[in-house]
Amino acid sequence: MQCVGSGRRGWLRIARPCRAGGKGAHHPPRAPPEALRDPGPQRGTAHPGHTQLLAHSTSCYGRETWWSLSQPIGDAARVIEQDAAVRIVEEELERDYQRELSSGLDPIRMAVAHVEQHELVWIVSWTSEEYLRTRNPNFMPAGNGPYLVDRVDGDLHQIGVVSAATKAWEADYRVRIRRQAIRTPVDDLHDEVRTAATDRGRIYAMHTMRQRVPALSHAQVIEYVTALKDGDAPAHLVEVAMAELVPPVEPVLSVRTIRRAGHRSAP
């Protein structure tokens, strides 16, 4: 693994091991493509203590890929490579196989079928070895949602087929798994109420709040609007607004954590 560049922005080259005789067995470090070269510090593109990286990998077939990573500088050396992600999923598939075998079942061996790169995770699809060998749809398992391997800590998660197709899992992953703050309808409400209070007065702002969140009592509306004018709203009132304005994540669309990186044992 080699970083090219310095400062808050840089390029990260990831060299992955290849099988003997592979076309990409030896690739010297390259500078990033002209369009991706470090343009220097840019306003609003990085936070203090963070780095904007472009990661580069060369496959055994000579394909080269650059992608963007935004994370604390201290995590740069912990980026999970594609080969490592595949290995994590293969271990889980083998663990499932052995578990069913020990239960007296007649399990079918599964294998990794496809790996897709995402800014947060490796999306690893899987199917039966027999289907990969024959392409006979009779051997294709149904409902096998892909695994997600976190590209920073290597934690293993899984999502359903519908969530994968609609990408509905991303918001849940950012908020619940990565603890990232994303904009919600409650943020829009706060902006609307603050603007109303500034432009048309406190009474109009209270009327707006009551219309948007009818579950709030009159006293709570007064407290909420007053707090927004002075700064941030109280957490217990934000929870009421969240329950009214932000629909809960459907279980079928949520991310299920399978195994933490530090709790991975041999099958």
Side-chain angles (χ1 to χ4, degrees):
M1 184 178 297
Q2 177 178 356
C3 280
V4 183
S6 59
R8 292 190 208 169
R9 289 176 60 88
W11 313 113
L12 180 65
R13 184 178 194 275
I14 300 177
R16 298 189 290 133
C18 298
R19 294 186 177 88
K23 294 182 181 179
H26 300 285
H27 289 275
R30 295 182 46 188
E34 189 65 35
L36 301 179
R37 292 184 191 276
D38 183 5
Q42 294 184 1
R43 249 183 108 184
T45 58
H47 298 284
H50 285 64
T51 182
Q52 177 74 22
L53 299 175
L54 279 191
H56 169 269
S57 67
T58 304
S59 73
C60 296
Y61 303 99
R63 298 195 185 104
E64 295 183 326
T65 306
W66 294 87
W67 65 91
S68 175
L69 301 171
S70 296
Q71 59 191 45
I73 291 174
D75 289 339
R78 297 172 53 207
V79 174
I80 301 298
E81 303 175 22
Q82 179 175 329
D83 287 346
V86 169
R87 189 162 55 249
I88 288 169
V89 172
E90 287 177 339
E91 289 173 357
E92 187 64 22
L93 294 176
E94 178 64 21
R95 190 178 288 108
D96 287 344
Y97 178 84
Q98 294 297 334
R99 187 183 302 118
E100 292 184 10
L101 197 63
S102 63
S103 299
L105 302 175
D106 186 19
I108 299 174
R109 281 202 174 274
M110 301 294 175
V112 171
H114 177 71
V115 182
E116 179 183 345
Q117 174 188 300
H118 186 277
E119 63 174 298
L120 299 172
V121 298
W122 292 105
I123 304 174
V124 185
S125 302
W126 53 283
T127 187
S128 72
E129 289 185 353
E130 193 67 15
Y131 173 75
L132 290 177
R133 187 180 65 82
T134 65
R135 296 298 173 180
N136 185 336
N138 292 329
F139 296 113
M140 181 186 295
N144 54 323
Y147 287 101
L148 308 177
V149 179
D150 194 283
R151 289 175 58 183
V152 173
D153 58 26
D155 285 355
L156 181 65
H157 312 273
Q158 191 172 22
I159 54 177
V161 175
V162 175
S163 188
T166 60
K167 301 188 183 300
W169 63 271
E170 291 188 20
D172 183 42
Y173 197 94
R174 291 182 188 278
V175 174
R176 194 167 53 82
I177 307 298
R178 281 291 186 86
R179 305 293 183 184
Q180 293 180 354
I182 65 172
R183 190 169 181 85
T184 70
V186 175
D187 298 302
D188 297 334
L189 170 68
H190 291 175
D191 289 347
E192 183 181 5
V193 170
R194 287 190 181 105
T195 300
T198 300
D199 295 346
R200 306 186 64 172
R202 184 164 172 263
I203 300 299
Y204 185 83
M206 291 171 55
H207 178 69
T208 301
M209 177 66 77
R210 192 63 184 272
Q211 277 191 324
R212 301 289 185 273
V213 191
L216 292 171
S217 67
H218 183 68
Q220 287 175 323
V221 168
I222 295 174
E223 181 185 1
Y224 208 149
V225 172
T226 302
L228 284 176
K229 286 184 62 180
D230 297 336
D232 292 330
H236 67 283
L237 296 181
V238 173
E239 287 182 6
V240 176
M242 288 286 288
E244 287 279 310
L245 302 176
V246 181
V249 178
E250 294 287 343
V252 71
L253 302 178
S254 63
V255 178
R256 183 167 64 99
T257 298
I258 302 296
R259 202 172 299 274
R260 298 293 182 185
H263 297 81
R264 222 172 265 126
S265 56

